[in-house]
Amino acid sequence: MIKVGVWGPGSMGLIALRGVIDHPQLELVDLVVHSDAKAGRDAGELCGVAPVGVVATQDPATLLGGEADVVVYAAAANLRPLEAVEDMVSILKAGKNVVSCSVVPLVYPDAVDSAFAEPLQQAAAAGGVSFFTTGIDSGFANDVLPLVLTGVSRVIESVRVTEMFNYATYPDPAAVYEILGFGKPPEFTAFAATPGVFTFGWGPVLHQLAAGLGVKLDHIDESNERLPAPESFDTPTGHIAQGTIAAMRSTLTGYVGDQATLVVDHVTRMRDDLAPDWPQPHISIAPKDLGYGLASGRGCYRVEIEGSPSMRCEFEMAEDRDHDLGARIAGASRMVNAIPAVYAARPGLLSALDLPLITGAGLMRPVPGPAPDSRLFQLG
């Protein structure tokens, strides 16, 4: 059994916590939380199962001095990436491997600013342990999945990966309304729409795709579009007033020479019918009606490969017909399922290119019950 600690049971970490408890090869030994509401509670209670004897603490020293072999670090880091790096450095120095989803660019450390990568590299070397960032986007849908598909290519001209999601049920209002800027007037400078931010976050994905395909990008272009709501409407997480931002599209295009070769495209809506000219998912799982006159939202990932043969693949996830929750479960499960491979890997900073195929080994069994939804803590 691999002993595991979890740090930060929020929108992804709570699901990862349940995944660790349920996984037959893993044993939960420590849990670090930030909120007073979660402190002092049993980990099982927090994610909807029987008590497991691990009590949540707000003191990281307990985890750092504990028995964990691997720590799942899932604390929010959108507005505190350097602080998150400091947290993870302390874990690595304590001789514990780290699997994380928090600082997105670290999915491919070779393309990350040295201010983020070097402290982690030094800490991993000092602790003799490994560090791996993953998730669903980034971490699987826009890097691992397209690279797997290229394995049946004869010739590849371009690869395009598009995320199409309705964020109306995403259980982090600060991320939706402050960082992404939904519900804000067009003149509001949203963090996610600031020039260079999308390149910082998802540029490493393009570099990882390029490395996996044996090419080198010469430059990356970034574009961002935002559209206002044609009328006011309510969502499960808040109100969108007429004229405020209700849809956003961010695109990165990577060039080899003068050829647009690799593209990551994010199409984000607060209602399914907005921005009809932008890419739309072709879904088979009907979204769940949450009683707002609107469904919980559509969502999927599309991989398009031009070449011989040309390919198109749509990857759809849903839990109880909720695509947002399905995507978060997939991203959190990717972290949990990667733990054995990271534990066995060489010390240092890892990307998906450094690890073997990660599967759901040991998970064939009846579903043990509904997956936890962090909306329990953030939408009430």
Side-chain angles (χ1 to χ4, degrees), residues 7 62 87 149 238 261 281 292 323 333 369 380:
W7 184 325
T62 302
D87 288 342
L149 293 174
T261 304
Y292 283 75
H323 290 82
S333 298

Side-chain angles (χ1 to χ4, degrees), residues 88 98-107 131-135 139 350-351:
M88 293 186 286
V98 173
V99 176
S100 181
C101 64
S102 295
V103 183
V104 173
L106 289 166
V107 293
F131 173 88
F132 179 57
T133 290
T134 187
L350 308 172
S351 77

Side-chain angles (χ1 to χ4, degrees), residues 173-330:
V176 174
Y177 297 98
E178 299 298 328
I179 295 174
L180 293 174
F182 289 122
K184 300 291 187 182
E187 60 270 21
F188 176 78
T189 304
F191 176 75
T194 302
V197 166
F198 194 53
T199 300
F200 169 77
W202 275 264
V205 172
L206 291 183
H207 287 291
Q208 179 163 253
L209 288 173
L213 296 173
V215 298
K216 185 175 177 61
L217 295 179
D218 292 297
H219 70 280
I220 295 174
D221 285 348
E222 173 183 314
S223 66
N224 186 280
E225 302 174 74
R226 298 190 296 163
L227 293 180
E231 68 274 330
S232 299
F233 60 93
D234 289 313
T235 78
T237 58
H239 180 72
I240 304 293
Q242 182 180 17
T244 63
I245 298 302
M248 183 168 73
R249 183 179 186 182
S250 300
T251 308
L252 293 183
T253 303
Y255 289 81
V256 176
D258 60 357
Q259 182 69 35
T261 304
L262 303 173
V263 180
V264 170
D265 195 5
H266 277 190
V267 178
T268 308
R269 300 175 169 91
M270 292 298 285
R271 200 173 71 186
D272 288 340
D273 63 339
L274 299 172
D277 295 336
W278 293 354
Q280 290 274 9
H282 300 102
I283 65 168
S284 59
I285 303 172
K288 187 175 184 178
D289 187 345
L290 295 178
Y292 283 75
L294 299 167
S296 63
R298 303 162 67 193
C300 76
Y301 294 90
R302 179 179 296 149
V303 180
E304 297 167 285
I305 300 174
E306 296 300 326
S308 174
S310 292
M311 300 175 233
R312 173 169 163 158
C313 175
E314 292 209 355
F315 175 41
E316 182 184 7
M317 303 143 287
E319 175 82 1
D320 191 23
R321 296 185 291 122
D322 184 334
H323 290 82
D324 165 70
L325 180 55
R328 287 188 288 116
I329 290 172

Side-chain angles (χ1 to χ4, degrees), residues 161-162 176 327:
V161 187
T162 305
V176 174

